[in-house]
Amino acid sequence: MRNMAILTAALLVAACNAPDGARSDTADGDAADMQQGDMATNAAADPAMAAPPVSTGAYVAQAANSDMYEIQAGELAAKNGQSQQVKDFGRMMVTDHTKSSQDMKAMVTRANLGTQPPARLDAEHQAMIDRLKSAKGEAFDREYMTQQMAAHRKALALHQGYAQSGDNTELKGFATQVIPVIQKHHDWLEQNGQGANGTTAGVGTGNRSGTMQDGSMGTANESSSANRAPRATGSTTDQ
């Protein structure tokens, strides 16, 4: 009888202790999940945090590909865009990225970095250009604006990352100077680019009537100045 009482008491103690241990393990897991969530949130708020540091050679190659793509895509937009916004934005991309491309090439030569920007687009950016070439009419505008939003997010993260942790002082200075230009493009695209419903917001074609951003009805030519593409800077430091 005494042994039975002792066994019963032992089982009761074990049963009481088990939930505490389980709760402790759950709390530890919840804390880890919260930490990972905080890291993801911080990375989304600051694109540079999400991008690992790149070497000087990789930065030069990626920045050059970004510029070449923007120039070629901008030329296509100026020629094939259906809306005036797309045409104007494309022309600005040609102007701004031609300037930044020339500035970087001059800096690379002056700094004698032992690396040169590539002369041709990489496979990723060439595929993007090919999609633009095959798109017609309003499909072109949608494809162009969608590409531009993704390209400018990536370019912004690239330049911000190198400006913070690059291993060449002169190129870090260049990255710092070009960031405001990319940021201006990025901000305009955030406001006037891809809408939540998957259509290209703020981009109309021809004189077809439609609903304006203020809720009034009007034609595409009556869009407000807030939706117009910002002017080309002409310089990486001209803000």
Side-chain angles (χ1 to χ4, degrees):
M1 182 67 71
R2 179 184 299 176
N3 291 339
M4 182 63 70
I6 293 174
L7 178 59
T8 301
L11 291 174
L12 288 172
V13 171
C16 291
N17 288 339
D20 291 339
R23 284 195 296 269
S24 177
D25 292 341
T26 302
D28 291 342
D30 290 344
D33 291 342
M34 290 178 63
Q35 183 178 11
Q36 293 177 354
D38 290 342
M39 292 173 63
T41 301
N42 292 336
D46 185 354
M49 292 181 63
V54 297
S55 66
T56 291
Y59 172 72
V60 169
Q62 292 178 33
N65 268 290
S66 177
D67 280 336
M68 284 190 292
Y69 158 75
E70 291 293 353
I71 293 168
Q72 293 184 31
E75 290 172 345
L76 289 172
K79 178 181 178 181
N80 299 331
Q82 298 299 294
S83 76
Q84 193 61 45
Q85 280 185 333
V86 167
K87 290 178 178 292
D88 291 346
F89 192 82
R91 293 187 184 100
M92 181 177 67
M93 293 302 98
V94 174
T95 298
D96 285 356
H97 287 277
T98 296
K99 182 65 169 65
S100 62
S101 177
Q102 292 172 344
D103 288 349
M104 189 182 70
K105 288 177 181 179
M107 185 170 294
V108 167
T109 300
R110 184 170 62 251
N112 194 25
L113 299 178
T115 185
Q116 289 295 323
R120 300 177 61 182
L121 285 174
D122 59 17
E124 176 188 359
H125 288 92
Q126 185 60 57
M128 295 165 70
I129 292 296
D130 291 342
R131 289 199 299 272
L132 285 175
K133 288 181 177 179
S134 64
K136 306 297 181 183
E138 292 184 11
F140 176 91
D141 285 18
R142 291 192 296 270
E143 177 67 24
Y144 178 72
M145 295 295 280
T146 299
Q147 286 191 16
Q148 286 299 296
M149 291 184 68
H152 278 84
R153 289 193 187 104
K154 186 174 181 179
L156 192 57
L158 172 68
H159 293 297
Q160 287 177 338
Y162 195 84
Q164 292 179 8
S165 57
D167 52 15
N168 180 273
T169 302
E170 288 190 78
L171 274 181
K172 287 177 70 174
F174 166 79
T176 299
Q177 290 178 347
V178 81
I179 285 171
V181 179
I182 306 300
Q183 185 73 60
K184 180 183 70 173
H185 303 161
H186 173 274
D187 291 348
W188 186 88
L189 288 163
E190 282 286 312
Q191 181 179 355
N192 300 284
Q194 195 77 358
N197 60 356
T199 61
T200 305
V203 177
T205 58
N207 292 319
R208 188 178 57 192
S209 62
T211 303
M212 309 300 289
Q213 285 195 343
D214 60 2
S216 62
M217 297 297 293
T219 66
N221 288 340
E222 295 171 350
S223 58
S224 65
S225 60
N227 292 331
R228 295 173 185 165
R231 291 182 299 174
T233 63
S235 168
T236 55
T237 58
D238 179 11
Q239 297 302 310

